[in-house]
Amino acid sequence: ELQVRMTPRRALTVVLEGVADGGEWSLSAWGIEDLAAHSTTNGRFEFEGLAPGPYSFALRGPDGAARHFHYTLAPGGDRELVLRLR
């Protein structure tokens, strides 16, 4: 007997708060899948069709400095992740 459990993929929006206008931010992640994106003009990153699970993120700002964090994307959890930068 074979049982298959499928978890639907989902979208995730990462929103940056506390960033000055101007300058480009990039976000890369690795874990279940490898991801990379550049922010839109309003400090948002859009990821489509992600598999739920743990991810490690590296956020790079216009100054080149990296900020690292971990996030677990739950199958039925939030669809938006807000990062407050100081």
Side-chain angles (χ1 to χ4, degrees), residues 10-84:
R10 38 183 300 230
L12 176 67
T13 300
V14 178
V15 180
L16 299 182
E17 285 188 355
V19 297
D21 289 339
E24 186 174 321
W25 292 78
S26 65
L27 181 64
S28 56
W30 56 97
I32 300 295
E33 301 176 74
D34 292 339
L35 315 168
H38 293 280
S39 68
T40 60
T41 55
N42 59 359
R44 298 172 72 87
F45 298 89
E46 305 286 340
F47 297 102
E48 296 291 331
L50 297 182
Y55 290 90
S56 295
F57 287 87
L59 176 68
R60 274 194 201 282
D63 60 359
R67 296 148 181 93
H68 298 273
F69 62 96
H70 302 282
Y71 181 72
T72 299
L73 183 64
D78 298 331
R79 296 193 180 269
E80 184 173 277
L81 171 62
V82 177
L83 299 179
R84 290 175 184 87

